[in-house]
Amino acid sequence: MLKVRAMVERILVINPNSNREVTAAIDRNLESLRFADGPEICCWTLEDTPLGIETARHIDQVVEPLCDLIAREDNHTSAFVIACFGDPGLASAREATSKPVIGIGEAGIAVALNRGERYGILTNLPEDINPGLRQIRALGLGARLAGIEAAGIAVVDLGDETRARAGLLSAAWRLKEKGAEAVVLGCAGMVPYGPDLETQTGLKVIDPVHAAAGVAIVFVRAAA
Amino acid sequence: MLKVRAMVERILVINPNSNREVTAAIDRNLESLRFADGPEICCWTLEDTPLGIETARHIDQVVEPLCDLIAREDNHTSAFVIACFGDPGLASAREATSKPVIGIGEAGIAVALNRGERYGILTNLPEDINPGLRQIRALGLGARLAGIEAAGIAVVDLGDETRARAGLLSAAWRLKEKGAEAVVLGCAGMVPYGPDLETQTGLKVIDPVHAAAGVAIVFVRAAA
Amino acid sequence: MLKVRAMVERILVINPNSNREVTAAIDRNLESLRFADGPEICCWTLEDTPLGIETARHIDQVVEPLCDLIAREDNHTSAFVIACFGDPGLASAREATSKPVIGIGEAGIAVALNRGERYGILTNLPEDINPGLRQIRALGLGARLAGIEAAGIAVVDLGDETRARAGLLSAAWRLKEKGAEAVVLGCAGMVPYGPDLETQTGLKVIDPVHAAAGVAIVFVRAAA
Amino acid sequence: MLKVRAMVERILVINPNSNREVTAAIDRNLESLRFADGPEICCWTLEDTPLGIETARHIDQVVEPLCDLIAREDNHTSAFVIACFGDPGLASAREATSKPVIGIGEAGIAVALNRGERYGILTNLPEDINPGLRQIRALGLGARLAGIEAAGIAVVDLGDETRARAGLLSAAWRLKEKGAEAVVLGCAGMVPYGPDLETQTGLKVIDPVHAAAGVAIVFVRAAA
Amino acid sequence: MLKVRAMVERILVINPNSNREVTAAIDRNLESLRFADGPEICCWTLEDTPLGIETARHIDQVVEPLCDLIAREDNHTSAFVIACFGDPGLASAREATSKPVIGIGEAGIAVALNRGERYGILTNLPEDINPGLRQIRALGLGARLAGIEAAGIAVVDLGDETRARAGLLSAAWRLKEKGAEAVVLGCAGMVPYGPDLETQTGLKVIDPVHAAAGVAIVFVRAAA
Amino acid sequence: MLKVRAMVERILVINPNSNREVTAAIDRNLESLRFADGPEICCWTLEDTPLGIETARHIDQVVEPLCDLIAREDNHTSAFVIACFGDPGLASAREATSKPVIGIGEAGIAVALNRGERYGILTNLPEDINPGLRQIRALGLGARLAGIEAAGIAVVDLGDETRARAGLLSAAWRLKEKGAEAVVLGCAGMVPYGPDLETQTGLKVIDPVHAAAGVAIVFVRAAA
């Protein structure tokens, strides 16, 4: 809440996997939060990391390059967004900079609470559910969780539109039956399917990268 | 996430108490979230309501005029913010419109989670603590609460700068001792003291109206 | 626990909806708690309120007339019961009087805990479930909840005996399968179906108005 | 909710310790719930049990004679109250009879929730606190617990009026500072001090035997 | 952590039911934890107790002889294990000796947490589920519980291999579907079926007596 | 529970920091769990890692070499123990091997539950408390936590015996006042002070490496 506007006003969104197509999709989806006189929003791909963050080890592996990047860019950046739902390296990154660092898992759920009484999470595979539950326990955000449902589509197969659409839609309906009113996309690769899911199910679909960027704007402009 | 930008892009921030000075302070504090090509952010005062929302009955009393206002303005509004920390009428308001309705209590805490491991709440009087705890239980956001501390200053006395500053600072330090890293201002009237609290204690101070307006932008621009 | 018996010993049960038939049914069902030398138990209908409390806004709308009534009757009343499962205006009513005010939602669940290891709630419609869960979180009484099941019958249709009986019975069986041992009727209009549900399912069926009146007697006679 | 009034309408309150003075005090305190045409309320002392239930083993030791008594009296009894705050043998007793069995720990807390936003428990000695917390976890009633505070007076010393009064008052004030609005007496021997505690601290003091008897009346008359 | 090795190093595993075959099976299964220079592990049958601990009353009934035995054997014993999943008399036993007393329910779950993200419990009959949930609440170990599933086989029928195998396997699969990764055998009589369950389902199967004996070794040798 | 004894029976305890003195102290403390015919227990130091694991980033940095080591040693090892209280890389390590991997944080707390009604954690510095609370939330083990207290001694200063002893003792007393009965040493470097803390405070002091090794023996010998 300091009253001197920072010289730099840049939000750096880091895609921790090395898939540039995912970064490009994220980038397009953030267009709606780029304002003429607002903070610059840059989307970068982390180099030399897995193409998809699919395991606990992937999550751990990206932390070093992620923190290195954050340290290097600290001077020119107002806030960082880690664009992977597992929030890899969030605590470490917060040690690497005094600027706000926002994880899309934490921000996506936090924002979703404002759009529905209970929320669900769409995830890729059934084996993502237990790690997701652990993450939610760690975040302390489980009280309004309706459930986590898997689409049955690995991250790398999200490009198969027919299968992905069907798997996500089916999982979204199951979340609705469980009482979810808002649904958080548990993977950046699901973003293109969001509008369709929302139209067909009536659920409020939350893109967590978009939500995190909004939270970043709050923090950047709180310091304005 | 519908891909046709709405004609209207207005966020209507409603101060449920009838104190126009509070509305003016809120309005000034949201200046940093008004962008040249962003959603219009209007701050209105609810008529014929108490000067300060200090009791459960005050909270209940403002719901009818609040919902009436929301229904009247529904056509010209993209999202509503209820600018009272007790989130008066939030559920009722969500019945009155299909547009996003954001309560600053829920949004302020949700956003604060992204800025610190545990959060505290600054409240006016000791008798606000139990209702605050009930609200947090209802929100399901208690797992990372470090505490609620009262400044010992009634809403109407927040204009007494010396007393208010001292009371808030003392309460903020107590929250820090309890382990809070972020602190949410539990009353719109505390906003002017935020930067000073942040500087002196090192705590991240969250203005919940500002946070809620940011969440509103996310929802408005998700529909963009 | 003051040792001077109050002059007045009247429990005022207020039906916040304006449906006099519901009030009459409540009244009959409380006959078993009227003792020759016990507190008088009166059942009143709140004027100018909805015929059924079915939405959040209904809940909010009845608070003002409810509190006004309580304030007017304070001198002649020993304890108040708010006979709507959503506990409308409970906090506000407790500000309006120093006498005990008992909500049938809170009291019904609290008493049910004494009659079964886990409890379930019968509600009218599926859309009542999320608000019910929020209420239970706010009450802090979720740890032994087996579930909330909807009978699929709107409040206004509870008079249709065949449909109501079938819907309630089916929902009660689902609660039993989930492990409920006691079931709280989530709406005063369900009271006539209680004995039948109990006989057929073996569940302990709790009429929350009756439970609340019993709790009121405890408080009235504690002060005796 | 069966509509045929039982022939027998007797509530049997069993004091599991063998101290007849405690039984007599309980008996006097239930006078206010004896109605001319209400259920008979009998208070019995369990034979050959410890003079005070002060340890886990005491709790376990009284179960057999307690259940034997309940089985013997089942035919002539409508509901049983186990008048020891640790709820000894509650699950076993519920196997021994199909009649309602009410523990004063569970009932005392459940009723107290209706009289204050948060509750505290007065206990005898500091070593009672951890067992008390375990009991409250088992009951699932911890969400609104403000604290358990020990008076520093063993059960057998509760007759020392000066010490007991001072110890209880001090503990009650500590509970009030922690935010309790209602306080449950954690031992039947504290009942005589209740009114004084209430007058001096402004806390609502709940006698759990009285509360349990009220709950028993609800169940007996629900079956009426 | 005292650095003088005790003269006696004996772990006494007490089977609280009087079924010597169960004791023998427990004994065989602990062979793998008997080391040449390790603590002696003895398995004893409690006399004059039920053949199976199947009710709450059974649990309460064994406490006195259990504590008497513990007191008698205290001088010659380094740690006690109570080999019944309901942890009968655990608190009382801890009053009867200063040596470690380990309940297989508490230890079995505590150890299982180290072998899987979420755990399930196999129990005998559906009516064991609610008491099991209460036990887990009391233990404070519910956060990672995937579920409790009943095999549909009474304790006394566990010797019927065909039925037992089928019932346990079916229940284990249901736990796996609910997300359990480790499964705790909720009854000593299930131990012989453990390896088969593990092979067929891929779940990690935890024998709680074996786990408790391991915990006992930790405590005995911490004092070494 | 497979009934063929593995050829290899080795428990590999990995100290993720590169401080060989800490490894040596761990090694000595595990002597009491080395049995003539029991599993071999080896203690290794991870190369090229920080001297003390003091930050989130340290935790993340050790994961790659830790998992690499585990993968390399998988064939010759029956179970792995990660000897750092923050449980670095636990999930990743479990992907790298099908053998049991035990974190001393999780195991230390799980075992401590068997030795006291509530437990406390001794940590080095106040800034360790919030990360510790997050870890405990993630583990789902918070229900019986009495508190975390910091000794005010950085890891590197634990060799300063006078200061360390005083700081740890003072923190242990604070945990006892909060109701802890068992205390888990939150850092391997505190192990030498354990016996003294236990003697002076009467608290049960749990060395988490020792506890984890015991749990490892359970798993190794369950497969025996």
Side-chain angles (χ1 to χ4, degrees):
Chain A
M1 302 180 73
L2 306 174
K3 290 300 180 191
V4 184
R5 179 75 50 99
M7 282 304 95
V8 177
E9 266 204 352
R10 185 178 72 152
I11 295 166
L12 182 53
V13 178
I14 306 171
N15 173 16
N17 70 47
S18 56
N19 188 331
R20 292 176 183 284
E21 288 186 28
V22 169
T23 314
I26 287 172
D27 188 74
R28 280 191 301 275
N29 208 47
L30 293 178
E31 191 57 31
S32 67
L33 292 175
R34 290 190 176 102
F35 301 106
D37 50 349
E40 184 185 3
I41 302 178
C42 298
C43 298
W44 287 18
T45 305
L46 202 60
E47 307 284 332
D48 300 322
T49 57
L51 265 177
I53 309 288
E54 297 187 298
T55 65
R57 190 148 182 199
H58 287 166
I59 287 180
D60 288 326
Q61 282 171 332
V62 301
V63 178
E64 273 301 290
L66 183 71
C67 290
D68 287 345
L69 176 62
I70 286 171
R72 279 200 309 275
E73 296 298 320
D74 193 24
N75 279 340
H76 335 293
T77 308
S78 311
F80 297 90
V81 171
I82 303 176
C84 170
F85 203 77
D87 291 343
L90 190 54
S92 293
R94 284 171 177 164
E95 292 172 359
T97 175
S98 63
K99 308 290 173 55
V101 184
I102 296 143
I104 67 166
E106 185 167 49
I109 297 172
V111 167
L113 295 174
N114 294 278
R115 199 67 175 104
E117 181 52 41
R118 287 196 292 153
Y119 73 96
I121 293 180
L122 285 169
T123 192
N124 294 95
L125 297 173
E127 51 264 43
D128 302 333
I129 295 176
N130 273 337
L133 290 173
R134 177 174 284 255
Q135 179 180 359
I136 289 168
R137 279 200 310 275
L139 292 171
L141 288 171
R144 286 161 66 188
L145 177 71
I148 306 181
E149 289 288 335
I153 315 285
V155 174
V156 293
D157 296 331
L158 280 169
D160 178 341
E161 288 206 14
T162 309
R163 271 190 62 212
R165 195 176 304 274
L168 288 164
L169 195 58
S170 162
W173 279 114
R174 292 196 301 276
L175 288 172
K176 189 163 187 175
E177 275 159 35
K178 286 181 168 182
E181 296 176 4
V183 161
V184 189
L185 302 176
C187 175
M190 296 174 186
V191 168
Y193 302 101
D196 200 41
L197 286 175
E198 187 159 306
T199 308
Q200 293 204 33
T201 62
L203 289 159
K204 309 299 175 190
V205 175
I206 306 295
D207 166 8
V209 192
H210 192 269
V215 170
I217 292 174
V218 169
F219 293 143
V220 170
R221 286 297 170 110
Chain B
M1 302 179 73
L2 306 175
K3 288 301 178 191
V4 183
R5 178 75 51 99
M7 284 304 95
V8 177
E9 269 203 351
R10 185 178 72 151
I11 294 166
L12 181 53
V13 177
I14 306 171
N15 173 16
N17 70 46
S18 56
N19 188 331
R20 293 175 182 286
E21 288 186 28
V22 170
T23 313
I26 287 173
D27 188 72
R28 280 191 302 276
N29 209 48
L30 294 178
E31 191 57 34
S32 67
L33 292 175
R34 290 189 177 102
F35 301 106
D37 49 351
E40 184 186 3
I41 301 178
C42 298
C43 298
W44 287 18
T45 306
L46 202 60
E47 306 285 330
D48 300 322
T49 56
L51 265 177
I53 309 287
E54 296 187 299
T55 65
R57 190 149 182 198
H58 288 165
I59 286 180
D60 288 324
Q61 283 172 331
V62 301
V63 179
E64 274 301 291
L66 182 71
C67 290
D68 287 346
L69 176 61
I70 285 171
R72 277 200 310 275
E73 297 297 319
D74 193 23
N75 280 339
H76 335 293
T77 308
S78 311
F80 296 89
V81 171
I82 303 177
C84 171
F85 202 77
D87 293 341
L90 191 52
S92 293
R94 284 172 176 164
E95 292 171 358
T97 174
S98 62
K99 310 289 173 55
V101 184
I102 296 143
I104 68 167
E106 185 167 50
I109 297 171
V111 167
L113 295 174
N114 293 279
R115 200 68 176 105
E117 181 51 42
R118 286 196 292 152
Y119 72 95
I121 294 180
L122 285 169
T123 193
N124 294 95
L125 297 173
E127 51 263 44
D128 303 332
I129 295 176
N130 274 336
L133 290 172
R134 177 174 283 257
Q135 178 181 1
I136 288 168
R137 278 199 311 273
L139 292 171
L141 287 170
R144 286 161 67 188
L145 177 72
I148 306 181
E149 288 287 336
I153 313 285
V155 174
V156 295
D157 296 331
L158 281 169
D160 177 342
E161 287 205 14
T162 309
R163 270 189 63 213
R165 195 177 304 274
L168 287 164
L169 196 57
S170 161
W173 279 114
R174 292 196 302 276
L175 288 172
K176 189 164 189 175
E177 276 160 36
K178 287 183 169 179
E181 295 175 4
V183 161
V184 188
L185 302 176
C187 174
M190 297 174 184
V191 169
Y193 303 100
D196 199 42
L197 286 175
E198 188 159 305
T199 309
Q200 293 204 33
T201 62
L203 289 160
K204 310 300 175 189
V205 176
I206 307 295
D207 167 8
V209 191
H210 192 270
V215 170
I217 292 173
V218 169
F219 292 143
V220 170
R221 286 296 170 113
Chain C
M1 302 180 73
L2 306 174
K3 288 301 179 191
V4 184
R5 179 75 51 97
M7 283 304 95
V8 176
E9 265 203 354
R10 185 178 71 153
I11 294 166
L12 181 53
V13 177
I14 306 172
N15 173 17
N17 71 46
S18 56
N19 187 332
R20 292 177 182 285
E21 288 185 27
V22 170
T23 314
I26 287 173
D27 188 73
R28 281 191 301 275
N29 208 48
L30 294 178
E31 190 58 30
S32 67
L33 293 175
R34 291 190 177 102
F35 300 106
D37 50 349
E40 183 185 4
I41 301 178
C42 299
C43 298
W44 287 17
T45 306
L46 202 60
E47 308 283 331
D48 300 322
T49 57
L51 265 178
I53 309 288
E54 296 187 298
T55 66
R57 191 149 181 198
H58 288 166
I59 287 180
D60 288 326
Q61 282 171 333
V62 301
V63 178
E64 273 302 290
L66 183 71
C67 290
D68 287 346
L69 176 62
I70 286 171
R72 277 200 311 274
E73 296 297 319
D74 194 24
N75 279 340
H76 334 291
T77 308
S78 311
F80 296 90
V81 170
I82 302 176
C84 170
F85 202 77
D87 291 343
L90 191 54
S92 293
R94 284 171 176 165
E95 292 171 359
T97 174
S98 63
K99 309 290 172 54
V101 184
I102 295 143
I104 67 166
E106 186 167 47
I109 298 172
V111 167
L113 295 174
N114 294 278
R115 198 68 174 102
E117 180 52 43
R118 287 196 291 153
Y119 72 95
I121 293 179
L122 285 169
T123 192
N124 294 95
L125 297 173
E127 52 263 43
D128 302 333
I129 295 176
N130 274 336
L133 289 172
R134 177 174 285 255
Q135 178 181 1
I136 289 168
R137 280 200 309 276
L139 292 172
L141 288 171
R144 286 161 68 187
L145 178 70
I148 306 181
E149 289 287 336
I153 314 285
V155 175
V156 293
D157 297 330
L158 280 169
D160 176 343
E161 288 206 15
T162 309
R163 272 189 61 213
R165 196 177 302 274
L168 287 165
L169 195 58
S170 161
W173 279 114
R174 292 196 303 275
L175 288 172
K176 189 163 189 177
E177 275 160 35
K178 287 182 168 181
E181 296 176 2
V183 161
V184 189
L185 302 176
C187 175
M190 296 174 186
V191 169
Y193 302 101
D196 199 42
L197 287 174
E198 189 159 303
T199 308
Q200 293 204 32
T201 62
L203 289 159
K204 308 299 175 190
V205 175
I206 306 295
D207 166 7
V209 191
H210 192 269
V215 171
I217 291 173
V218 169
F219 293 144
V220 169
R221 286 297 170 112
Chain D
M1 302 177 75
L2 306 174
K3 289 302 180 193
V4 183
R5 180 74 51 98
M7 283 303 95
V8 177
E9 268 204 353
R10 183 178 72 152
I11 294 166
L12 181 53
V13 178
I14 306 171
N15 173 17
N17 71 45
S18 56
N19 188 331
R20 293 175 182 284
E21 288 185 28
V22 169
T23 313
I26 286 173
D27 188 73
R28 281 191 301 276
N29 208 46
L30 293 178
E31 190 58 33
S32 67
L33 292 175
R34 290 189 177 103
F35 301 106
D37 49 350
E40 184 186 3
I41 302 178
C42 299
C43 297
W44 287 18
T45 306
L46 202 61
E47 305 286 329
D48 300 321
T49 57
L51 265 177
I53 309 288
E54 295 188 299
T55 65
R57 191 150 182 197
H58 288 165
I59 287 179
D60 288 326
Q61 283 171 331
V62 301
V63 178
E64 274 300 291
L66 183 70
C67 290
D68 286 346
L69 176 62
I70 285 172
R72 277 200 310 274
E73 297 297 320
D74 193 24
N75 279 338
H76 335 293
T77 309
S78 311
F80 297 89
V81 171
I82 303 176
C84 170
F85 202 77
D87 291 342
L90 191 53
S92 292
R94 285 171 176 165
E95 292 172 357
T97 174
S98 62
K99 309 289 172 56
V101 185
I102 296 142
I104 68 167
E106 185 168 48
I109 298 172
V111 166
L113 295 174
N114 293 278
R115 199 67 176 105
E117 181 51 42
R118 286 197 292 152
Y119 72 94
I121 293 180
L122 284 169
T123 191
N124 293 95
L125 298 172
E127 52 264 45
D128 302 333
I129 295 177
N130 274 336
L133 290 173
R134 176 174 284 256
Q135 179 181 2
I136 289 168
R137 279 199 311 274
L139 292 172
L141 288 171
R144 288 161 65 187
L145 177 71
I148 306 181
E149 288 287 336
I153 314 285
V155 175
V156 294
D157 297 331
L158 280 169
D160 177 343
E161 287 205 14
T162 309
R163 272 190 63 214
R165 195 177 304 275
L168 287 164
L169 195 58
S170 161
W173 278 113
R174 292 196 302 276
L175 288 172
K176 189 164 188 175
E177 276 160 35
K178 287 183 168 179
E181 296 175 4
V183 161
V184 188
L185 302 176
C187 174
M190 296 173 184
V191 169
Y193 303 100
D196 198 42
L197 287 174
E198 187 159 304
T199 308
Q200 293 204 33
T201 62
L203 288 160
K204 308 300 174 190
V205 175
I206 306 295
D207 166 8
V209 192
H210 191 270
V215 171
I217 292 173
V218 169
F219 293 144
V220 170
R221 287 297 170 112
Chain E
M1 301 181 75
L2 305 174
K3 289 302 179 190
V4 184
R5 178 75 50 99
M7 283 304 95
V8 176
E9 266 203 354
R10 184 179 72 151
I11 294 166
L12 181 53
V13 178
I14 306 171
N15 173 15
N17 70 45
S18 55
N19 188 331
R20 292 175 183 285
E21 288 185 30
V22 171
T23 314
I26 287 173
D27 188 72
R28 281 191 301 276
N29 208 47
L30 294 178
E31 191 56 33
S32 67
L33 293 175
R34 291 190 176 102
F35 301 105
D37 50 349
E40 183 186 4
I41 302 178
C42 299
C43 297
W44 287 18
T45 306
L46 202 60
E47 307 284 330
D48 299 322
T49 56
L51 266 178
I53 309 288
E54 296 187 297
T55 65
R57 191 147 182 200
H58 287 166
I59 287 180
D60 288 326
Q61 282 171 333
V62 301
V63 178
E64 273 301 290
L66 183 71
C67 290
D68 286 346
L69 175 63
I70 286 172
R72 278 199 311 274
E73 296 297 319
D74 193 24
N75 280 339
H76 336 293
T77 308
S78 310
F80 297 90
V81 171
I82 303 176
C84 169
F85 202 77
D87 291 344
L90 191 54
S92 292
R94 284 171 177 164
E95 291 172 359
T97 174
S98 62
K99 309 289 172 55
V101 185
I102 296 143
I104 67 166
E106 186 166 49
I109 297 172
V111 167
L113 295 174
N114 293 278
R115 200 66 176 107
E117 180 52 41
R118 288 195 291 153
Y119 72 96
I121 293 179
L122 285 169
T123 192
N124 294 94
L125 298 173
E127 51 263 44
D128 302 333
I129 295 177
N130 273 336
L133 290 172
R134 176 174 285 255
Q135 179 181 1
I136 289 168
R137 281 200 310 274
L139 292 172
L141 287 171
R144 286 161 66 187
L145 176 71
I148 306 181
E149 289 287 336
I153 314 285
V155 175
V156 294
D157 297 330
L158 280 169
D160 177 343
E161 288 206 15
T162 309
R163 271 189 63 213
R165 197 177 303 274
L168 287 164
L169 195 58
S170 161
W173 278 115
R174 292 197 300 276
L175 289 171
K176 189 162 188 176
E177 275 159 35
K178 287 182 167 181
E181 295 175 4
V183 161
V184 189
L185 302 176
C187 175
M190 296 174 186
V191 169
Y193 302 100
D196 199 42
L197 287 174
E198 188 160 304
T199 309
Q200 293 204 34
T201 62
L203 289 160
K204 309 300 175 190
V205 175
I206 306 295
D207 166 8
V209 191
H210 192 269
V215 171
I217 292 173
V218 169
F219 293 143
V220 170
R221 286 296 170 112
Chain F
M1 302 179 75
L2 306 176
K3 289 300 178 193
V4 184
R5 179 75 49 99
M7 283 304 95
V8 176
E9 269 203 352
R10 184 179 71 151
I11 294 166
L12 181 53
V13 177
I14 306 170
N15 173 16
N17 71 45
S18 56
N19 189 331
R20 293 176 182 285
E21 289 186 28
V22 169
T23 313
I26 286 173
D27 188 72
R28 280 191 302 276
N29 208 48
L30 293 178
E31 191 57 34
S32 66
L33 292 176
R34 290 190 177 101
F35 301 105
D37 49 351
E40 184 187 2
I41 302 179
C42 298
C43 298
W44 287 18
T45 306
L46 203 60
E47 305 285 329
D48 300 321
T49 56
L51 265 176
I53 310 288
E54 296 187 297
T55 65
R57 191 150 181 198
H58 287 165
I59 286 180
D60 288 325
Q61 283 171 333
V62 301
V63 179
E64 273 301 291
L66 182 70
C67 290
D68 286 345
L69 176 62
I70 286 171
R72 276 199 311 274
E73 297 297 320
D74 193 23
N75 280 338
H76 335 292
T77 308
S78 310
F80 297 89
V81 170
I82 303 176
C84 170
F85 202 77
D87 292 342
L90 190 54
S92 292
R94 285 172 177 165
E95 292 171 357
T97 175
S98 62
K99 309 289 173 54
V101 185
I102 296 143
I104 68 167
E106 186 168 48
I109 297 171
V111 167
L113 295 174
N114 293 280
R115 200 67 175 105
E117 180 52 42
R118 286 197 292 152
Y119 72 96
I121 293 179
L122 285 169
T123 192
N124 294 95
L125 298 172
E127 52 264 44
D128 303 333
I129 295 176
N130 274 336
L133 289 173
R134 176 175 285 256
Q135 179 181 1
I136 288 167
R137 279 200 310 273
L139 292 171
L141 288 170
R144 287 161 66 187
L145 177 71
I148 306 181
E149 289 287 335
I153 314 284
V155 175
V156 294
D157 296 331
L158 280 170
D160 177 342
E161 288 205 15
T162 310
R163 270 188 63 213
R165 196 177 303 274
L168 286 164
L169 196 56
S170 161
W173 279 113
R174 293 197 301 277
L175 288 172
K176 189 164 188 175
E177 276 159 35
K178 287 182 167 180
E181 295 175 4
V183 161
V184 188
L185 302 176
C187 174
M190 296 173 184
V191 169
Y193 302 101
D196 199 41
L197 287 173
E198 188 159 304
T199 309
Q200 294 204 32
T201 63
L203 288 160
K204 309 299 175 191
V205 175
I206 306 295
D207 166 9
V209 192
H210 192 270
V215 170
I217 292 173
V218 169
F219 293 143
V220 170
R221 286 297 170 112

